[in-house]
Amino acid sequence: MYAHTPTMYLMAVAVGLALAASVATLVPIGSRKREGMLLWALGLVLYALTYVLYGLRGQVSDFYSIVLGNTALSAGLAMLTHALLVFQQRQWPPWRIWVPVATAVAMLMIVDSGTVRRLTLGVILGLQAIALVVIVVQRLGVTVGRGKYLVIGGLLVAIGIFVSRVVGVAMGADQSVSVDHSSLMQTVTHTLGLVVLIFLTVGFVIMTKERADALNVVLAMRDELTQLYNRRAVFEALGQQLAAARRNQTPLSVLMLDVDNFKALNDTFGHAAGDRVLREIALTIQNGLRAQDVAGRMGGEEFLVLLPHSTADEALVISERLRQLINDVDCLQRCDLQTTISVSVGAAQFDPVRHAGGDELIHDADQALYRAKERG
């Protein structure tokens, strides 16, 4: 017993439109950061339109049922391609996305043979699905979470459907679409088509959510003004570095940096100017450190730098380099201020005997910073 083909078509239309509406509602009203959601929803609408036109076979002209129906299917895949590229913040020339659609339209308009049409269309749609897999795989390592595997799984099933149809046509099997005829081939194909649709859409939505969650974690660890680690995050990093230094018996040093005369700068030029100075200092610190070093903003105009595998002498060399880099900042060009900026720096090396934890180490660095300020 096979599934009733018109019912399968109706299910495809209903599921496609329901998923499209669901995806579209995930986009906040007025938001510019849409992650390709609206494009994905439009692709689902085109998928639903495909089955509407397929279902009208025999009731409307072949132009609408065959040409427009298959064009909508190819255009739907193009929309999904565009949506994935937007999600990945990549750009392709429009022709790379739409050439398969144009090719499908030209073939459907020119070729009269149903067999050649089905064979060529199966190849085009299969290649579009393969392109989608390639797009996802190219960013597999930088796409967080597991949603990407649902997308890949759905696409592999879709490729299997297109390949089986091409092979079936090449072997002479009847692959024509008929609303009045139910068969095992149509039942399996349309059922798997719904599975593909659900896998792709759920996977894409999960991908966007997982990336948003990961971004929120990063933002929770960052100082909003300077984009360095915030106080909580840099203390957590310090705890990890202290544990590693104890365990591996490796040196660890910290630097405390304080912007000189920052209150006077704020009073003279305003707090907005002070914020620009802090951002520039943070950027200079970040650019002047090694890959393994960690920088954070303690609050106000104070910064903490963690220097793993560094002795006190090495920390002093790094502190002097940072101090000089900050002193050399062209404030007029970089901060729009007719002034100069400088920092005082205190350094301390972790001593497993004297320092029970990070507080004691930071206290020593703070005392060194106080002495540096007294020396001017």
Side-chain angles (χ1 to χ4, degrees):
M1 183 176 179
Y2 307 128
H4 186 232
T5 298
T7 301
M8 297 292 292
Y9 282 10
L10 183 60
M11 287 178 60
V13 173
V15 171
L17 292 178
L19 289 174
S22 301
V23 170
T25 57
L26 294 175
V27 181
I29 296 176
S31 172
R32 294 184 178 182
K33 190 175 182 180
R34 298 173 178 176
E35 306 280 10
M37 285 286 193
L38 291 182
L39 291 170
W40 194 276
L42 183 55
L44 295 174
V45 171
L46 289 169
Y47 176 89
L49 177 61
T50 297
Y51 275 87
V52 170
L53 295 172
Y54 281 175
L56 293 174
R57 181 71 58 89
Q59 302 178 49
V60 298
S61 69
D62 286 350
F63 173 79
Y64 292 105
S65 180
I66 297 176
V67 177
L68 291 186
N70 287 302
T71 298
L73 183 56
S74 180
L77 287 173
M79 282 295 178
L80 299 189
T81 301
H82 194 182
L84 273 176
L85 291 170
V86 170
F87 171 80
Q88 295 178 346
Q89 298 178 339
R90 301 167 64 187
Q91 286 188 342
W92 274 10
W95 65 265
R96 291 185 64 182
I97 301 174
W98 293 101
V99 158
V101 182
T103 304
V105 172
M107 180 273 301
L108 290 166
M109 294 290 290
I110 296 172
V111 177
D112 292 327
S113 169
T115 298
V116 175
R117 277 180 170 179
R118 287 188 286 273
L119 185 64
T120 307
L121 189 64
V123 171
I124 292 172
L125 296 174
L127 290 175
Q128 286 184 278
I130 291 172
L132 280 163
V133 173
V134 171
I135 290 171
V136 178
V137 170
Q138 284 177 335
R139 292 292 188 272
L140 199 63
V142 297
T143 304
V144 299
R146 301 179 182 180
K148 56 192 175 186
Y149 298 116
L150 273 178
V151 173
I152 291 174
L155 289 170
L156 291 178
V157 174
I159 291 170
I161 294 173
F162 296 135
V163 169
S164 67
R165 296 196 64 178
V166 169
V167 171
V169 171
M171 294 179 64
D174 183 12
Q175 299 284 324
S176 60
V177 176
S178 174
V179 180
D180 300 323
H181 175 65
S182 298
S183 66
L184 177 62
M185 182 273 292
Q186 291 206 64
T187 299
V188 172
T189 299
H190 297 320
T191 301
L192 288 178
L194 289 175
V195 171
V196 168
L197 201 63
I198 294 170
F199 268 47
L200 290 181
T201 301
V202 172
F204 184 71
V205 170
I206 291 175
M207 282 169 59
T208 59
K209 181 183 183 302
E210 287 173 327
R211 185 165 73 178
D213 290 344
L215 180 59
N216 287 336
V217 170
V218 172
L219 291 176
M221 299 175 62
R222 296 288 177 178
D223 174 63
E224 184 177 359
L225 176 64
T226 64
Q227 296 305 303
L228 297 179
Y229 280 124
N230 58 29
R231 184 184 182 91
R232 175 181 176 182
V234 78
F235 266 99
E236 288 181 0
L238 177 59
Q240 295 169 0
Q241 296 284 3
L242 286 171
R246 286 186 186 277
R247 182 173 60 251
N248 302 322
Q249 297 184 342
T250 53
L252 168 67
S253 295
V254 300
L255 304 177
M256 284 289 295
L257 295 86
D258 185 86
V259 183
D260 296 329
N261 303 313
F262 187 70
K263 184 179 183 303
L265 186 147
N266 266 339
D267 292 341
T268 303
F269 298 102
H271 289 281
D275 287 348
R276 294 198 299 273
V277 168
L278 290 176
R279 282 194 293 266
E280 188 59 38
I281 290 175
L283 180 62
T284 303
I285 291 172
Q286 193 67 54
N287 291 338
L289 295 177
R290 305 165 301 180
Q292 70 267 30
D293 300 333
V294 176
R297 184 185 178 198
M298 294 290 286
E301 66 272 23
E302 286 190 333
F303 299 88
L304 176 65
V305 177
L306 313 182
L307 305 173
H309 305 286
S310 299
T311 64
D313 289 339
E314 291 169 332
L316 288 174
V317 172
I318 295 173
S319 69
E320 179 58 26
R321 182 174 73 244
L322 292 177
R323 193 192 64 78
Q324 191 60 51
L325 287 171
I326 293 169
N327 192 64
D328 290 343
V329 168
D330 186 344
C331 267
L332 184 60
Q333 181 179 357
R334 306 294 290 273
C335 305
D336 194 26
L337 293 175
Q338 189 71 45
T339 187
T340 59
I341 53 175
S342 64
V343 295
S344 298
V345 187
Q349 181 178 344
F350 171 58
D351 184 337
V353 176
R354 289 196 313 107
H355 299 139
D359 289 341
E360 292 83 356
L361 178 58
I362 291 177
H363 177 268
D364 282 359
D366 202 38
Q367 290 298 307
L369 171 62
Y370 179 76
R371 293 192 293 271
K373 281 191 169 294
E374 282 190 326
R375 293 193 298 268

